């Protein structure tokens, strides 16, 4: 929020008043507590960002699969076969890597409707790129 209400600020400081009493300003105990809180925050955000990164990678892999199916003019219903082939390849190539296999299982490409949505996203992105590219050059030929 750009502007905090006076009541919210007052309530915040009254609620956390015990922190100032337990950990007086300028003491080593307060420094230790603040460092401990910072470390907890950092570890919590790292877990969240790691999860988000894995989800983003799975979404990108799903988009790439849709791109390949579209490029080769294959029906979107072939996505199930495509994913099954990938899982079998991963099982053969990475025998003891359950984490890799589980990551591949999380790729959302099960239905034809997912592939349709992915293709629409890719087409919209490609269209936007085509509109932006001519504005970055001085001359071009059609």
């Amino acid at each position: 929020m750009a502007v905090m209400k006076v009541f919210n600020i007052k309530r915040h400081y009254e609620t956390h008043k015990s922190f100032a009493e337990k950990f007086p300003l300028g003491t080593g105990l307060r420094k230790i507590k603040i460092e401990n809180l910072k470390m907890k925050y950092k570890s919590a955000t790292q877990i969240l960002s790691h999860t988000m990164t894995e989800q983003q990678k799975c979404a990108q892999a799903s988009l790439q699969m849709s791109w390949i199916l579209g490029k080769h003019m294959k029906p979107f219903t072939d996505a199930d076969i495509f994913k099954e082939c990938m899982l079998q390849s991963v099982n053969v190539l990475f025998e003891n890597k359950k984490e890799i296999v589980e990551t591949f299982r999380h790729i959302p490409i099960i239905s034809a409707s997912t592939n349709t949505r992915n293709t629409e996203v890719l087409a919209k992105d490609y269209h936007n790129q085509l509109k932006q590219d001519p504005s970055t050059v001085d001359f071009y030929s059609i």
Side-chain angles (χ1 to χ4, degrees), residues 13-36:
Y13 283 110
E14 287 175 356
T15 304
H16 299 289
K17 193 177 197 178
S18 62
F19 183 82
E21 292 171 357
K22 289 179 184 176
F23 309 102
L25 189 62
T27 62
L29 192 58
R30 185 180 183 115
K31 288 180 184 177
I32 292 170
K33 180 64 175 177
I34 290 173
E35 288 300 318
N36 189 11

Side-chain angles (χ1 to χ4, degrees), residues 35-142:
E35 288 300 318
N36 189 11
L37 290 171
K38 284 180 183 179
M39 288 180 63
K40 284 182 182 178
Y41 174 76
K42 186 176 181 180
S43 67
T45 56
Q46 283 178 342
I47 291 170
L48 181 63
S49 65
H50 178 67
T51 302
M52 296 291 283
T53 303
E54 183 178 334
Q55 289 173 349
Q56 289 170 344
K57 286 179 181 178
C58 287
Q60 184 174 354
S62 178
L63 287 169
Q64 291 291 335
M65 289 178 189
S66 296
W67 177 264
I68 291 169
L69 287 170
K71 186 171 78 171
H72 292 286
M73 301 173 83
K74 296 294 181 184
F76 293 144
T77 53
D78 286 354
D80 293 334
I81 298 168
F82 194 72
K83 185 174 178 181
E84 186 179 337
C85 290
M86 286 181 51
L87 284 170
Q88 290 302 319
S89 300
V90 168
N91 281 327
V92 171
L93 295 172
F94 307 104
E95 292 175 21
N96 297 324
K97 304 289 184 179
K98 291 180 182 179
E99 184 179 321
I100 294 172
V101 174
E102 286 304 311
T103 302
F104 272 92
R105 287 184 203 275
H106 291 126
I107 296 173
I109 194 154
I110 295 171
S111 67
S113 61
T114 301
N115 280 304
T116 302
R117 281 192 309 273
N118 285 348
T119 303
E120 289 170 355
V121 167
L122 289 168
K124 192 178 290 186
D125 182 57
Y126 192 68
H127 180 74
N128 288 337
Q129 287 179 23
L130 284 174
K131 286 187 342 189
Q132 288 176 355
D133 285 346
S135 65
T136 61
V137 297
D138 295 327
F139 304 99
Y140 59 91
S141 174
I142 297 178

